[in-house]
Amino acid sequence: MTTAQTTRSKAELKELAEQAGRDLEDATPLEILTWAAETFGPRFCVTSSMEDAVVAHLASRALPGVDVVFLDTGYHFPETLGTADAVGAVMDVNLITLTPVQSVAEQDAQYGPKLHDRDPDLCCALRKVKPLEQGLGSYDAWATGLRRDESPTRANTPVVGWDEKRQKVKIAPIARWTQEDVDAYVAEHGVLTNPLLDDGYPSIGCAPCTFRVAEGEDARSGRWAGRAKTECGLHG
Ligand code: SF4
């Protein structure tokens, strides 16, 4: 039996995550993802917002056919849905699309229209946090594209850590990368990116809550602009 096939307790997973966070702090993203692939095998997935396919591309090199989980909130830009389709069609990954329990119309009927304007925390909980929690159920470890340089709230992101809320290993293989590192990887490998990145949106989420950012402004300042909210709850 390989290591990846063994069943580990939550305590073992937590210890594994904390040790790997220390051991892999200076490792490259591909080394971190190779460790994840060897350690967790099919119990490992990548989540992608479809801003770009950098982590999905890296993960597919470490684990061809890797599960890439995309959360279709029902509020995405057409460009984001198009990027997801392209990733599923051309990359060596298994694209898994998660959807909320309620359609936007059903949510509007129960909570009233434009919940995102009146109570974005509840909207994110219904359309992002809950579906992801259910979708990640069968995995021991998940990887994200979080980077330390994106915002002060992400400055201490470990490359491998313990996701207390979901009781899973959380991997941020490009945590130490800068935007320049990402751009260089995209150029070198011809990685798919969301066309909105070239249209004034350096950070892309749901259409009602994502706005263009002026050149030189903080990349995430266009997310929930004008509100105190800075994160959707997936990474809190
Ligand atoms: S980002 Fe906006 S539209 Fe998307 S789930 Fe959160 S509040 Fe709703």
Side-chain angles (χ1 to χ4, degrees):
M1 182 181 282
T2 65
T3 312
Q5 290 167 316
T6 58
T7 304
R8 300 181 178 93
S9 68
K10 299 298 182 195
E12 287 171 323
L13 286 170
K14 183 176 182 183
E15 196 181 323
L16 188 65
E18 290 170 351
Q19 184 64 47
R22 292 188 287 273
D23 293 347
L24 296 171
E25 168 60 22
D26 296 324
T28 66
L30 191 55
E31 288 169 343
I32 295 166
L33 288 163
T34 300
W35 168 83
E38 289 172 351
T39 307
F40 304 108
R43 296 184 67 80
F44 161 68
C45 71
V46 174
T47 58
S48 177
S49 66
M50 297 300 163
E51 197 169 284
D52 62 50
V54 167
V55 176
H57 187 275
L58 279 159
S60 73
R61 292 170 64 192
L63 184 65
V66 64
D67 287 353
V68 172
V69 174
F70 169 59
L71 197 50
D72 183 355
T73 63
Y75 276 121
H76 282 306
F77 292 100
E79 290 88 343
T80 301
L81 299 176
T83 304
D85 286 345
V87 165
V90 307
M91 289 178 58
D92 189 1
V93 300
N94 176 36
L95 183 68
I96 296 170
T97 301
L98 303 178
T99 53
V101 173
Q102 290 184 317
S103 66
V104 170
E106 288 166 345
Q107 178 173 294
D108 287 354
Q110 182 171 348
Y111 297 93
K114 298 192 177 183
L115 184 62
H116 46 74
D117 286 352
R118 294 176 289 109
D119 191 344
D121 286 342
L122 177 58
C123 187
C124 278
L126 294 169
R127 310 206 73 74
K128 289 185 168 183
V129 178
K130 279 187 186 161
L132 187 73
E133 252 159 39
Q134 285 166 355
L136 290 183
S138 63
Y139 300 102
D140 285 338
W142 62 302
T144 80
L146 292 184
R147 298 200 325 267
R148 292 172 187 168
D149 73 341
E150 288 178 307
S151 69
T153 56
R154 298 182 175 186
N156 297 318
T157 301
V159 294
V160 182
W162 179 242
D163 179 351
E164 194 68 47
K165 192 153 89 181
R166 298 180 187 83
Q167 298 283 292
K168 294 184 188 301
V169 180
K170 186 171 175 183
I171 302 163
I174 62 169
R176 290 167 45 240
W177 272 12
T178 63
Q179 184 61 52
E180 288 69 34
D181 294 323
V182 172
D183 294 344
Y185 187 86
V186 166
E188 183 182 351
H189 296 277
V191 176
L192 282 163
T193 58
N194 192 314
L196 293 175
L197 290 175
D198 297 322
D199 194 18
Y201 295 88
S203 178
I204 303 162
C206 295
C209 302
T210 305
F211 302 90
R212 280 196 175 83
V213 167
E215 210 163 322
E217 274 187 55
D218 184 84
R220 285 185 61 83
S221 63
R223 304 288 295 278
W224 303 283
R227 294 178 178 272
K229 187 174 171 67
T230 57
E231 296 281 353
C232 54
L234 298 183
H235 302 297

